[in-house]
């Protein structure tokens, strides 16, 4: 794989970053029509009661449809405070939360207008933490069928599909804070892997793509 196209995603799952580890170049789709129930504005983390979904509220487009790049974040419900408190509550006992918290906290303290910008900022921060340097750019126009040398992952990486739906990806178990209660929870947000494994997260990503 040399080039991939991915959906924009809020603190995307391990599957997403495994592809960014394996591929030197990536496109992030921002010209598709926004759809609900995707990772665009939702991530999954592990809590004391199991999997917890964190959802970024958006301002609904007036005409019912809007491209991802035009979706604005809503300030409704004090969600930034709630999301950060959820991360703190769920991961403060993880081995590496304190190591990465200061780089992530600003995203929950200052408003960012557009969801695509918010997602990209977090993505760049996470890639830096993982010491990964893939070249990724936003799309400028929507193509239903990407170029022949591009692997289309826009519909593959989705909360509607279990991780084993993707034949190229395998969930590699790693230490999780609440594993003693729930067992290993696969394909959660990249933050679950990062907070629990730190620098060794790269090894999990390396082993998660089937050769």
């Amino acid at each position: 794989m040399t080039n991939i196209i991915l959906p924009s995603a809020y603190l995307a799952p391990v599957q997403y970053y495994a592809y960014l580890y394996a591929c030197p170049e990536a496109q992030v789709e921002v010209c598709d029509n926004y759809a609900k129930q995707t990772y665009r504005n939702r991530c999954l983390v592990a809590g004391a009661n199991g999997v917890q979904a964190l959802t970024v509220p958006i301002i609904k487009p007036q005409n019912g449809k809007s491209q991802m790049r035009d979706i604005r974040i809503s300030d409704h419900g004090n969600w930034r405070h709630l999301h950060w408190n959820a991360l703190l509550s769920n991961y403060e006992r993880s081995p590496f939360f304190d190591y990465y918290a200061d780089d992530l906290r600003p995203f929950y303290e200052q408003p960012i207008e557009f969801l695509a910008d918010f997602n990209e900022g977090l993505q760049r921060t996470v890639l830096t933490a993982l010491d990964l340097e893939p070249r990724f750019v936003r799309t400028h126009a929507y193509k239903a069928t990407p170029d022949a040398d591009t692997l289309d992952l826009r519909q593959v990486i989705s909360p509607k599909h279990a991780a084993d739906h993707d034949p190229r990806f395998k969930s590699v178990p790693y230490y999780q804070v609440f594993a003693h209660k729930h067992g290993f929870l696969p394909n959660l947000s990249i933050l679950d892997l990062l907070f629990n494994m730190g620098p060794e997260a790269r090894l999990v990503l390396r082993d998660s793509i089937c050769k």
Side-chain angles (χ1 to χ4, degrees), residues 171-191:
S171 292
V172 176
Y174 56 86
Y175 168 81
Q176 291 177 326
V177 172
F178 298 106
H180 64 287
K181 296 183 65 175
H182 309 295
F184 176 70
L185 299 174
N187 207 31
L188 298 179
S189 166
I190 187 63
L191 289 192

Side-chain angles (χ1 to χ4, degrees), residues 55-74:
T55 302
V56 178
I58 64 162
I59 298 173
K60 294 181 179 179
Q62 293 182 349
N63 62 359
K65 288 186 177 182
S66 186
Q67 291 185 347
M68 174 61 195
R69 64 185 178 187
D70 297 325
I71 294 296
R72 288 178 165 83
I73 295 175
S74 171

Side-chain angles (χ1 to χ4, degrees), residues 7-11 28-30 32-43 54-59 61 66-74 79-80 83 107-108 111-123 138:
S8 177
Y10 171 44
L11 293 172
V28 176
E29 181 64 80
V30 295
D32 53 345
N33 286 332
Y34 180 82
K36 298 178 181 179
Q37 298 181 350
T38 68
Y39 288 125
R40 290 176 178 87
N41 69 325
R42 179 173 61 171
C43 71
L54 302 179
T55 302
V56 178
I58 64 162
I59 298 173
S66 186
Q67 291 185 347
M68 174 61 195
R69 64 185 178 187
D70 297 325
I71 294 296
R72 288 178 165 83
I73 295 175
S74 171
W79 68 269
R80 293 179 182 83
H83 282 210
F107 290 95
Y108 299 93
I112 296 176
E113 182 177 7
F114 290 97
L115 180 60
D117 294 339
F118 180 67
N119 289 349
E120 183 177 322
L122 280 168
Q123 183 170 318
R138 294 186 181 188

Side-chain angles (χ1 to χ4, degrees), residues 121-136:
L122 280 168
Q123 183 170 318
R124 292 187 182 277
T125 300
V126 168
L127 287 171
T128 297
L130 292 167
D131 196 23
L132 296 179
E133 298 181 346
R135 179 180 178 271
F136 72 93

Side-chain angles (χ1 to χ4, degrees), residues 13-20 39 156-158 163 166 169 187 209:
V14 171
Q15 178 188 17
Y16 190 105
Y17 282 87
Y19 279 105
L20 286 173
Y39 288 125
V156 174
I157 301 177
S158 168
D166 179 3
F169 174 77
N187 207 31
I209 295 295

